[in-house]
Every structure is written in C-alpha cells, then in structure tokens.
Amino acid sequence: VWDKSENGDWHCTASWKTHSGSVWRVTWAHPEFGQVLASCSFDRTAAVWEEIVGESNDKLRGQSHWVKRTTLVDSRTSVTDVKFAPKHMGLMLATCSADGVVRIYEAPDVMNLSQWSLQHEISCKLSCSCISWNPSSSRAHSPMIAVGSDDNSPNILAKVQIYEYNENTRKYAKAEALMTVTDPVHDIAFAPNLGRSFHILAVATKDVRIFTLKPVRKELTSSGGLTKFEIHIVAQFDNHNSQVWRVSWNITGTVLASSGDDGCVRLWK
Amino acid sequence: PSQVVPGADPSARQLCFAWGPAEVLVCETLFGHRGGSPSRGEGGPGRALLPGTLTACVAGTGEGGPSSSRLFVVRKDQDIYIQTLRKLFNESHGIFIGLQRSEEELAGKSRKAQLVQVSKNYRSVIRACMEDMHQAAILTRDPALHSQYSTQVSILSAMELIWNLCEILFVEAAAAGPLLLRLLDWVRLHVCDVDNMVHEVLSSENPSKHELFWNVVDVFVLQGRMDEARHLLSKEASANPTSVNMYKILDDLMKKMPVPSLGNTQTLTEMELKWQHWHEECQRYLQDGTFASNSHMESICKILLGDEDAILEKKDLMTTWYHFLVTRLLYSHPTVKPMELRFYAQACMDLFLGGESSPEPLDTILMAAFEFEMHQVIKECSIALSNWWFVAHLTDLLDHCKLLQSHNLYFGSNMREFLLLEYASGLFSHHSLWQLGVDYFDHCPEYGRVYLELHIERIPLNTEQKALKVLRICEQRQMHEQVRSICKIMAMKALRNNRLGSALSWSIRAKDAAFATLISDRFLKDYCESGCFSDLDLIDNLGPSMLLSDRLTFLGKYREFHRLYGEKRFSEAAKLLLMLMTAHIAPCSFWMTLLTDALPLLEQKEVIFSAEQTYELMRCLEDLTAGKSDKQKFQDDDVETMKVEMLRLALARNLARVIVKEGTLEGS
C-alpha cells in the first residue's frame, strides 16, 4: 500500500505476504466505510482488510498496519476478481472464480467487517475472469453486474454476460449476453453514469470495445420482468495490436484508459 | 503522441495503471514471470501513450531487491505554469462570473459594447500574465525553466493574437470601414519583431544617416502609420535639399490619403470616391517618373498604390502573412467588407508563404477566423492548445454574443458547456483552484451539477478546514447526499483515530443517527472503563442535535446528570436520573451503572429521593435483576451481587428515612 505524503511524494507504507498464491486483484471500498481493501487470489480465497491506526511511532516511521477482517473461502477454484458494490448498496462485494461462479457477499453491519454473509451465488457456466458493478445509483436502474470470461473452450458462447437484480424474485438473473464478444475477455468496466438513461460498458479483449446498453421498456406481461437491452457497439480500437488487459474509466466517464500486451497505456476520449 | 516512461524496464515488465484524482498511476508488474497462469503474456517495453503534455516521473520504489516494482506518476505538466498562470485562472474566473451575471436586458449597441469590454478584459489578463511570465523568464537562471517560460510567453502571445482577431470579427463585428482600422491596430500591436529596429533608428543621433533608416520608414508605411513616416521623411528632406520637391509631393500624398473614419462623418461611398481620386493622383505621379531618382521613395509610392510585388518585397519587414494581408487591404481595398476577407486572406497567405513553407496551426486558426468559421476556430484551438482555458472562455463569450448555434454533442450538451466542463474538471486536480471550478460547473445547466457532485466527493480532505469549505459549498447547493457522504468519511476517519468528539460532531452534521448511536455507545463504554468523559465541551453543548438518536440523547442527559451532581443540585439530579430509566431513554445495559450512580445520592445526609421515587428505583432494580435467569445469577461474580445487595440496603434505608420525613408534620 502506498501513501501520498504532504509534499506529493509516494511512499510504501505497508507490504505484507498473506495469500498462498498469486494475488490477482485488489480493490478499495468507498472511504465511507473506512480504509478497507479487498484482495483475491489463486489460492481460492478472497480477503477483506482494514487499516488499523497504530502507534504514533509507526506513523513517524511512515508505516501503517493492515488487519485481515475476513477470509471468504467458498470458492473451489482460483478467485479471479473482487469488486465492491456502489456505496448506495451498502457494504457489499462480488467475487468471481475460474469455475464460473459469481458470489455476492454483504456485511450487514458496516462497523463489523468480520461478518459477511453470502447473499447470492450465480453460476455463469463459463470460467470468469472479471466483474464490474454498474455504478449508477439512479432508482430507474436495478443493481447490475457485468461478468467477463476468458474461457478458451471452442464454444462460441458470448464471453460477456450481464446480470440484473430482480426485485420480485430477489435474485440476480441473466439479462443479456454480448454475443459479439467471442474472444477471451480480460477486463470489463461500466462507465460512471451521469444521468444517462443508457449504460456504457468497456471490454478488454483482443481489442478495446465500448458498448452501449439501452434499456428497452420492461415487458408488462412477464412477472416483474427483466429489462431487455438494446446493445450497440460504439467503438472498437485495435491500436494495442495485442491482448488488452485492463480498461478503466475516469470519474466522469469521459476518458477510458486501456493497457495491453504491447506495453502501452492508451487514453481514449 | 507517445511518451516513454523513463526507467521502465524493457525486459518483459508489463505496465498496469489506475486513475487518481489528477493523475494516472502506472506500475510495473511481473505478470508472466512466475506464479501466473501461462495465458498471461509477457509485456514489451514500458511505454505509455499520452496526449501531448503529459510527463512521467518515478514516484517511488518499493522496498527490497530486484523484484521490487516501481510506481510512476503520469500527470499533465502543470507544475511549472500553474504557478504563473494562477493569476490568469483567478482573474478570468472573475470576468467569467461577471459575464454570466451581466444584464441580459441590455439590447443592441450597449450590449455589444459591454461584450466588447469583457473581451478586452480577458485580453488584458492574458497580457498581464504574459508580462509576468516574461519577467520570470528573464530572472531565472535555470536554462530549462527559461525555455519553458519563453515557450509559455509565445503561447500566450498567440492566444492574445487569436482572441483579438475574434474580438474584431465576431464580438465587435466591425463593419466595412472601421474593420480595416481595427485590423491595422491589431497588426501594429502584434508584430513586434521590428520594434527594436525602430527604436534603434529613432534614438540614434542622426536617424536619416542610419543604415536602417529606410527600413523603418517602410515599416511605418506598411503599418499605415503615416504621421510617423512623414516625420521621419522630413528629417531626410532637411538633409537633402536637392530632393525637396520629391519629398513635398510624397509627403502631400501621404497626408491626403483617405482613411475610413470611425464616426459617421462620411459614408462608405463618399470615402470610396475620395480614395479613387487619390489613388489616381498617386498613379499619375508614379507614371510621370517623379520618384524615379530615388528607389526608396518610388517603392513607397508603389506601396501606396497597393502594388502587390512592391509590398511583397518587404516581406521581412512584415514577417507574417496576416500583416501582408492587412497592408494589402489598406492600400487596395480599404472599405473591405467582413465577408470579403476570406478571399483576400487565402490569396495573401498563399502568396506570402509562396510554397516554401506550409501553414502552421496558428495560421490555420487565423484563416478559419477570417473565413468566419467559428466552430473551426474553436476546434483548431482545442487541438493546438494544451489546456482548455482559452477555448472555454472564448466559446462562452461567443455564446453570449449569440453567435453559436447549439452544436449538439452525443451526450446532449452543447459545445460551450462541453468546453467549460472540461476546463473546470481540470481545475479540480489543483489543491486550491478547484474552488474556481465550482463556479464554472454552476453555470453549466445540463451536466454541471452532476459533474460537481462527482468531483467534489473526490477532493482530498486533508484538513478540517478544507472539509468544512467543501461542505459549505455542498450545503449551499442542496447537495445532501454529498454532505452526508463527506461527513461520514470524516466521521469514520476521526473514529479510526479515536477522536470521538470529532467523530460525533461529524455524524451530527451528517444527520447520521446510526453512526451517532455507535459513537455514543463508545463514549459510554469509555466512561464505564475510565470513569470520566472525554470531549465534555461537545457533549455539554449538544443542544437540539441531541435528539438525533436515542443513545445520543441519553449521553447528553447523562452528562447533564453528572453536571447537576457536580453543582450539588441533588434533587434535580435525582429526578433526571430516575427519568432516564423510567422514560426508557437509558439502554437496559446501562441501568446498573445508573443505579450505582444513585448510591451516593441515597447515602446523602439529606434525604433526596422521595418515597415515590424510591419505590420507582426499587422497581427498576427488581426489573433488572428479575430479567436475569437463575443460571445467570449463579454466574454473577461477587462484585455484582454485592452491588445489588448494597443497592437494596441503601434503597430500603432511604425509604425508611423518607417515610418518616414525609410523615412528619412541619413545625410542630
């Protein structure tokens, strides 16, 4: 963990070995919950960490302490991604594993980070590599997760799936699959929603792709209905000329950053 | 354009990144080296592709040996010029706000005059900044800094040049006649390369003998500065009595040259007629060979006649194609109409550059302005300049002149708003200029608010003052969710650092009942453990905010009890204590403590609790002990049982005394 000091320099304030396999991803929770991190690893676990304010000596030496609050051991395979849900949903996180299971956990008491309960288990049928929560806090949108897969199997199943929370069944159900994405997906990211009625999703696969998902009016006949989406691809960039590993949006969703196997980071506006 | 990240190890280290509030953090990773799955490939040399002015520098290194990765901070190269441009940002902010609030009701001429004044204000701010930057360049000893400042000065100069032209053509919308005069002013103001030479000649002892004398005369003529040219020529005339005649004629011609007037003293047609006559007169003198013996004066006469080749010969004195354009117009079409400019402009640029060099970005921008393609001007400027300041403010001004049709961009907001949003977003990465950004967002009707909401949550709240400042801004705009969120974050931070008082006041401000309850519990717990309260001031002065949560109310009232006791107002204290239990303000877990607090009151010499109150206390004690199961009673340690026993005894004793007291008649 690196901290930025008063004069703008970065210092490494904590470094510790804990998982028994490679750590794939780390992610921060919203500062409203304190200084909280989650990590996921090849060792089939995900963990939640909290910073403990230590002795003043440590502060002077520029060190901070992190304590493991909980270990999530439900997965039977490598956990490939962990992401906190948008803060308006409370203290919630999602993990996805190589065996295709997405798990959603919630800490009902935000002051007690050691109590997490498994709320949902979604089986995606494809090995998962990444997830992204839709950050929109608008009441018009139900909670939504996009799941990407880097499955190498020869089936041409869509490698990006969208799951939406159904108020009636109180479960997450598959709303859409992006049929045009058939290559392994390494990263996926919803853009911040600035009051748009539609969603924007960036996908890192053999190139950079940006999709819009326009909700089509929910069918009144189906029971509380899943939203149907109109999917359009609005951009496709193959400048990396190689696998694209990460995509990430800036705060206003106006710039997308991507990194790829050509060793470059590109900014798209 | 790509930027190589210095020091990035080319041997198979990939780069991963994350967005920060103002910068991108780029970090080397060892993906693919060991421990990873084979599908993750190896990376190439570390490179980050970034728009123009971003620079990368090594920010820090992890501890340890060769396996340590390095972290790079990539940010816009703002450090150098943010300092000197601060004045520009601050003052233009003031002008911007003034413009937004200005009288829309003023119509026609007065509104136009107002807008022109705003434009002039912006330009004077740019010039002031240029001056400062120029001074800084002179004073610095660091050659790298010097070149950076000098670059900035030339960029600012170009900005002012463009703005000035836009002011003439768009804001003031000068009509034929005054248009030329404005353009002449514009050229005189901006082509300064010759100033040194002019100064040198004028300040020499004998200007007419100076080798550059004729150059300076030519400069004056090219810039239409007739009086100054005539003045110099008169010196030459006195030195050469033989050519007095020639000088007289030339002087006369120059004196008589008709120029467009600013006032309404003549119509265009009148002026054109006069000009035609004058032109013919010049023509006659030239053809008669009046100036044949002096090549300099002959070339001046040709210039007066608007002879393209003669003017072009003086290319070096004009230095730019737009100077050439204006000179040509002065001497061939002084009553040029705005819409005709584009034809002359293109022709002049082609002639001047002559196929030797191609137009630079500045030339393209100016050309677009002459062609009245406002959108093109804005677009080209956006591309050429590294920061949004210029296009944002200029577009806003043009929008106020009602010159821009709504150019809808994909997410629905128009160009003015788009540029302002970009500019203001950039300001938010600065630790104090973000406050200016707030005002800009306020004046973006469509997306301003949501952009502000997103940005304001991410301002690093290093100090309480900053947090309070941010909060005030949010509260003024009824951004309740942001207020709540910021207070929550500050409360959390305080709680983690064990500053309970601070945490409590933040949660009160956030109106966060749940959190307030939690902190009150902590206070009470600390009290039980240590026997005293921290942050007394805060708790004593809670006032109506006490009602935010039951636990908080209890905390406040409990503290009040202690205060009353301290002030020896025992009966009030006793009443309060009892009320806390009977009104169920106190949580059950705390009743034991409260009853224990009652002990000293029961043991006082004076009887404090009335009979009824004593009965109430007894009932509370029984409720408390009855609630426990037999098993629990068995497990209670001796201290607990002793306490209960003591209480029972004290209560009984008090009851006895009070029955007697209340039964006794006073006085007898």
Side-chain angles (χ1 to χ4, degrees):
Chain A
V1 174
W2 301 71
D3 272 28
K4 193 175 184 180
S5 70
E6 304 267 309
N7 54 2
D9 294 327
W10 289 90
H11 302 283
C12 180
T13 52
S15 163
W16 67 102
K17 187 163 158 48
T18 168
H19 286 284
S20 38
S22 294
V23 179
W24 294 132
R25 311 248 192 173
V26 284
T27 184
W28 291 97
H30 194 279
E32 270 187 42
F33 302 114
Q35 293 283 71
V36 178
L37 269 180
S39 61
C40 66
S41 159
F42 180 72
D43 69 359
R44 308 190 303 271
T45 66
V48 176
W49 308 87
E50 189 178 13
E51 188 184 21
I52 294 297
V53 176
E55 301 294 323
S56 48
N57 297 342
D58 290 330
K59 267 238 169 82
L60 289 172
R61 273 192 298 139
Q63 290 301 306
S64 60
H65 290 291
W66 288 80
V67 164
K68 187 193 283 206
R69 289 299 187 206
T70 191
T71 317
L72 305 170
V73 297
D74 304 89
S75 176
R76 274 180 248 117
T77 54
S78 164
V79 182
T80 50
D81 199 358
V82 60
K83 290 274 178 1
F84 282 101
K87 70 169 158 109
H88 67 268
M89 290 174 64
L91 190 50
M92 205 184 269
L93 60 78
T95 60
C96 68
S97 311
D99 62 1
V101 181
V102 171
R103 293 181 174 83
I104 299 177
Y105 298 84
E106 185 175 12
D109 178 2
V110 305
M111 296 307 300
N112 182 357
L113 294 173
S114 13
Q115 290 298 340
W116 290 80
S117 65
L118 176 59
Q119 302 281 67
H120 303 276
E121 237 176 34
I122 308 170
S123 183
C124 300
K125 299 189 178 59
L126 285 179
S127 159
C128 304
S129 60
C130 50
I131 35 177
S132 173
W133 287 95
N134 186 342
S136 168
S137 55
S138 150
R139 291 215 191 106
H141 303 136
S142 306
M144 203 187 292
I145 297 189
V147 183
S149 163
D150 59 356
D151 204 302
N152 264 320
S153 68
N155 308 353
I156 42 167
L157 286 175
K159 298 285 195 308
V160 174
Q161 300 170 49
I162 315 280
Y163 289 86
E164 198 188 14
Y165 184 71
N166 186 325
E167 299 288 340
N168 294 13
T169 62
R170 308 252 191 98
K171 282 200 202 312
Y172 279 85
K174 181 146 105 173
E176 278 300 341
L178 299 184
M179 305 303 292
T180 50
V181 184
T182 50
D183 300 288
V185 169
H186 306 296
D187 198 14
I188 198 167
F190 272 106
N193 185 316
L194 271 69
R196 276 181 263 110
S197 61
F198 58 92
H199 312 291
I200 298 183
L201 185 66
V203 180
T205 166
K206 70 172 198 280
D207 49 27
V208 176
R209 287 187 214 180
I210 304 179
F211 294 88
T212 55
L213 287 84
K214 282 197 179 57
V216 160
R217 211 170 266 287
K218 289 188 189 192
E219 284 141 22
L220 297 163
T221 47
S222 57
S223 52
L226 273 179
T227 324
K228 281 270 150 228
F229 292 94
E230 226 177 76
I231 302 171
H232 296 281
I233 182 164
V234 290
Q236 193 162 354
F237 303 115
D238 56 7
N239 302 56
H240 284 284
N241 226 3
S242 53
Q243 294 294 317
V244 179
W245 288 97
R246 288 282 181 275
V247 282
S248 173
W249 293 95
N250 71 342
I251 329 174
T252 44
T254 46
V255 183
L256 178 70
S258 66
S259 69
D261 254 341
D262 58 345
C264 293
V265 174
R266 286 185 168 77
L267 299 177
W268 310 94
K269 198 157 169 61
Chain B
S2 72
Q3 168 78 43
V4 177
V5 177
D9 190 341
S11 57
R13 273 198 193 221
Q14 286 181 313
L15 293 177
C16 63
F17 64 90
W19 283 98
E23 60 268 303
V24 179
L25 289 183
V26 174
C27 178
E28 293 170 323
T29 77
L30 284 174
F31 250 0
H33 254 208
R34 48 187 168 81
S37 59
S39 59
R40 315 260 189 203
E42 299 208 329
R47 261 193 301 138
L49 258 57
L50 312 153
T53 53
L54 292 178
T55 56
C57 55
V58 179
T61 37
E63 293 164 313
S67 60
S68 65
S69 26
R70 283 171 301 174
L71 193 66
F72 300 96
V73 180
V74 175
R75 61 153 66 93
K76 274 184 179 267
D77 195 11
Q78 295 186 9
D79 304 308
I80 297 302
Y81 61 80
I82 274 282
Q83 264 314 102
T84 29
L85 286 182
R86 271 180 87 147
K87 195 175 174 180
L88 180 73
F89 295 148
N90 274 306
E91 295 193 8
S92 60
H93 165 260
I95 301 172
F96 174 84
I97 298 296
L99 177 60
Q100 309 310 306
R101 294 186 187 150
S102 67
E103 291 291 308
E104 283 271 354
E105 290 92 61
L106 287 181
K109 278 211 181 125
S110 31
R111 176 71 174 157
K112 189 194 265 200
Q114 199 178 43
L115 292 169
V116 171
Q117 188 54 49
V118 168
S119 180
K120 287 188 155 79
N121 290 342
Y122 275 124
R123 283 197 295 123
S124 67
V125 169
I126 299 177
R127 289 200 93 93
C129 194
M130 237 163 78
E131 264 308 304
D132 289 345
M133 204 78 71
H134 186 66
Q135 284 304 308
I138 294 175
L139 291 173
T140 185
R141 289 205 213 129
D142 178 356
L145 265 183
H146 177 88
S147 80
Q148 249 165 341
Y149 284 133
S150 305
T151 318
Q152 270 312 301
V153 171
S154 50
I155 293 177
L156 284 169
S157 170
M159 278 173 21
E160 210 256 316
L161 177 75
I162 301 168
W163 193 300
N164 199 342
L165 183 61
C166 290
E167 181 184 304
I168 297 170
L169 296 177
F170 307 140
V171 185
E172 195 182 343
L179 176 60
L180 184 68
L181 295 176
R182 292 276 183 259
L183 287 175
L184 272 173
D185 283 334
W186 177 64
V187 162
R188 287 173 196 158
L189 206 55
H190 290 103
V191 181
C192 335
D193 296 9
V194 295
D195 286 355
N196 282 344
M197 179 177 68
V198 170
H199 180 77
E200 202 186 301
V201 170
L202 287 179
S203 54
S204 71
E205 268 184 38
N206 208 343
S208 51
K209 291 289 172 252
H210 199 290
E211 55 172 353
L212 296 173
F213 172 77
W214 283 106
N215 282 359
V216 175
V217 176
D218 285 338
V219 164
F220 287 149
V221 171
L222 290 166
Q223 291 186 11
R225 290 151 79 172
M226 290 312 182
D227 291 338
E228 289 168 79
R230 287 172 54 216
H231 181 76
L232 263 189
L233 278 177
S234 66
K235 290 207 202 303
E236 172 71 359
S238 45
N240 282 351
T242 46
S243 6
V244 151
N245 229 21
M246 252 199 302
Y247 284 104
K248 258 207 180 139
I249 296 172
L250 189 59
D251 182 74
D252 195 49
L253 284 176
M254 287 164 79
K255 191 163 85 174
K256 282 198 307 198
M257 179 173 117
V259 278
S261 68
L262 278 173
N264 286 333
T265 53
Q266 63 176 9
T267 64
L268 270 183
T269 346
E270 277 172 21
M271 198 233 134
E272 270 171 18
L273 261 176
K274 277 198 211 158
W275 190 83
Q276 202 54 42
H277 285 299
W278 173 84
H279 189 89
E280 280 163 10
E281 197 181 336
C282 293
Q283 190 77 13
R284 265 187 312 226
Y285 279 116
L286 183 70
Q287 278 166 354
D288 286 348
T290 324
F291 305 107
S293 53
N294 187 321
S295 62
H296 292 293
M297 305 215 334
E298 192 173 58
S299 104
I300 289 176
C301 187
K302 283 193 181 155
I303 292 173
L304 290 181
L305 284 169
D307 184 317
E308 221 169 62
D309 296 319
I311 302 175
L312 258 183
E313 250 178 66
K314 311 289 175 185
K315 211 168 161 179
D316 294 332
L317 295 177
M318 294 187 287
T319 66
T320 62
W321 63 270
Y322 36 96
H323 186 330
F324 175 51
L325 166 67
V326 175
T327 306
R328 252 211 83 201
L329 288 173
L330 172 63
Y331 292 115
S332 54
H333 297 96
T335 54
V336 64
K337 297 193 184 59
M339 286 305 152
E340 294 170 343
L341 279 176
R342 67 183 66 207
F343 307 115
Y344 295 113
Q346 189 62 57
C348 284
M349 181 162 90
D350 292 339
L351 268 174
F352 194 87
L353 295 178
E356 293 165 1
S357 41
S358 48
E360 305 214 324
L362 178 60
D363 299 324
T364 328
I365 294 168
L366 293 173
M367 183 58 72
F370 283 122
E371 289 172 351
F372 280 80
E373 298 280 352
M374 259 170 272
H375 288 113
Q376 191 66 18
V377 172
I378 295 168
K379 182 171 155 204
E380 297 287 338
C381 287
S382 303
I383 297 172
L385 293 168
S386 61
N387 119 3
W388 298 100
W389 179 88
F390 181 80
V391 283
H393 289 87
L394 180 63
T395 309
D396 175 61
L397 178 60
L398 293 178
D399 191 56
H400 274 90
C401 298
K402 305 263 190 289
L403 292 170
L404 295 177
Q405 295 138 330
S406 185
H407 218 99
N408 272 335
L409 301 170
Y410 91 94
F411 48 62
S413 73
N414 59 34
M415 170 146 22
R416 167 193 171 269
E417 180 157 322
F418 173 76
L419 295 171
L420 286 173
L421 288 172
E422 288 291 328
Y423 172 64
S425 296
L427 287 175
F428 266 85
S429 57
H430 191 267
H431 66 87
S432 71
L433 288 175
W434 61 270
Q435 293 169 81
L436 303 179
V438 175
D439 288 323
Y440 285 98
F441 280 141
D442 281 344
H443 289 103
C444 292
E446 211 170 327
Y447 284 102
R449 191 181 168 90
V450 67
Y451 265 66
L452 181 59
E453 285 173 4
L454 286 171
H455 277 105
I456 212 152
E457 269 190 349
R458 281 173 177 75
I459 297 175
L461 301 172
N462 315 331
T463 63
E464 280 234 348
Q465 286 107 310
K466 200 164 182 188
L468 289 170
K469 220 186 255 190
V470 173
L471 274 177
R472 219 174 320 129
I473 290 172
C474 292
E475 280 163 359
Q476 278 169 350
R477 288 158 181 77
Q478 274 98 44
M479 291 164 72
H480 303 298
E481 171 52 33
Q482 279 66 34
V483 170
R484 190 206 59 80
S485 182
I486 290 169
C487 290
K488 186 68 187 285
I489 294 173
M490 296 303 287
M492 259 309 213
K493 237 199 260 187
L495 187 63
R496 274 180 49 236
N497 285 295
N498 240 351
R499 291 179 288 117
L500 292 180
S502 179
L504 185 59
S505 61
W506 281 115
S507 47
I508 289 174
R509 189 150 182 177
K511 299 204 182 22
D512 190 337
F515 211 61
T517 302
L518 197 123
I519 298 174
S520 307
D521 270 336
R522 280 280 290 268
F523 267 115
L524 293 167
K525 186 159 145 276
D526 282 355
Y527 167 75
C528 287
E529 283 169 14
S530 64
C532 64
F533 284 109
S534 56
D535 301 285
L536 284 175
D537 273 342
L538 176 64
I539 305 174
D540 283 343
N541 293 308
L542 280 174
S545 48
M546 204 191 288
L547 299 170
L548 179 63
S549 101
D550 285 345
R551 197 55 48 82
L552 185 58
T553 315
F554 170 63
L555 179 65
K557 291 284 173 203
Y558 187 53
R559 165 66 199 142
E560 199 182 320
F561 162 73
H562 279 275
R563 244 206 355 260
L564 289 171
Y565 187 93
E567 290 168 15
K568 300 210 191 310
R569 289 153 68 182
F570 296 128
S571 53
E572 285 173 70
K575 217 153 120 195
L576 180 56
L577 185 66
L578 193 55
M579 192 264 289
L580 288 177
M581 281 188 283
T582 52
H584 293 282
I585 298 178
C588 288
S589 50
F590 220 75
W591 280 20
M592 201 57 206
T593 316
L594 289 176
L595 287 168
T596 319
D597 282 334
L599 263 179
L601 289 172
L602 292 165
E603 303 289 336
Q604 290 279 331
K605 260 211 292 210
E606 280 261 349
V607 168
I608 298 169
F609 287 102
S610 71
E612 202 171 318
Q613 286 175 327
T614 317
Y615 280 124
E616 283 290 329
L617 281 173
M618 286 170 140
R619 187 180 63 77
C620 290
L621 182 58
E622 290 315 307
D623 279 346
L624 197 58
T625 50
K628 294 188 186 170
S629 69
D630 284 325
K631 192 168 167 209
Q632 270 179 309
K633 277 191 196 152
F634 197 67
Q635 284 171 344
D636 266 344
D637 59 355
D638 290 330
V639 178
E640 275 301 302
T641 30
M642 197 170 76
K643 257 203 240 175
V644 173
E645 287 305 316
M646 275 180 66
L647 272 169
R648 287 218 175 95
L649 187 59
L651 282 168
R653 273 215 293 266
N654 193 65
L655 190 56
R657 287 159 63 196
V658 81
I659 290 176
V660 169
K661 177 182 171 207
E662 283 177 8
T664 310
L665 286 172
E666 295 289 306
S668 65

